[in-house]
Amino acid sequence: MDRPADLSARAAGGDRVAYSELMRRTRTALYRFVRRYVGDEQEAWDLLQETYAAAWINIRRYDPTRPFEAWIRTIALNKCRDWSRRRFVRRLIRGGVDLSSPEALAVPDGAESADERMEARDRLSRLNE
């Protein structure tokens, strides 16, 4: 049986079998975490799937010296927050929330700042070179 550190290092290198094993080992706890956040069983399964897909797409960014569970949980938390924002916007559009309510005012903008757009343009320019 492979140690989590060995699996993490192999997965970070693009090993699908190792990543699948990490998914298998973390699925139950991560599902419970997401389910507590969203409160809906089907939404939790969908978010779990999105989490693992996003993690695989970005696996090269994972630092295998850190715990995989913490990294994947951070991705799941971000997916849950995105889900919550989308849900809030749907309620807002349907008229269920007043725009001046504390709940509405607490929703972050989400748009990139000018600095972030400039940095993205610079990265793209460097990549094109």
Side-chain angles (χ1 to χ4, degrees), residues 3-15:
R3 294 178 339 172
D6 295 337
L7 283 173
S8 297
R10 287 181 22 223
D15 184 333

Side-chain angles (χ1 to χ4, degrees), residues 18-104:
Y19 184 73
S20 293
E21 179 61 20
L22 286 172
M23 283 176 47
R24 188 190 67 72
R25 291 182 183 188
T26 59
R27 181 179 45 227
T28 301
L30 194 60
Y31 169 76
R32 287 182 184 144
F33 172 77
V34 172
R35 175 79 161 82
R36 278 191 306 270
Y37 193 98
V38 300
D40 180 84
E41 182 179 341
Q42 191 57 50
E43 292 286 346
W45 283 117
D46 290 346
L47 289 170
L48 188 68
Q49 188 174 20
E50 286 180 35
T51 297
Y52 283 121
W56 177 250
I57 289 168
N58 294 294
I59 196 70
R60 301 276 184 201
R61 299 167 96 190
Y62 167 62
D63 177 2
T65 63
R66 297 179 176 251
F68 180 80
E69 293 83 4
W71 184 69
I72 197 79
R73 188 175 286 235
T74 300
I75 295 170
L77 180 59
N78 288 333
K79 293 291 179 188
C80 289
R81 287 175 176 161
D82 290 345
W83 173 86
S84 186
R85 279 189 217 101
R86 287 190 309 268
R87 185 171 165 232
F88 174 77
V89 168
R90 284 192 293 268
R91 285 187 15 230
L92 187 65
I93 290 170
R94 291 184 198 137
V97 176
D98 178 20
L99 287 176
S100 60
S101 72
E103 184 183 17

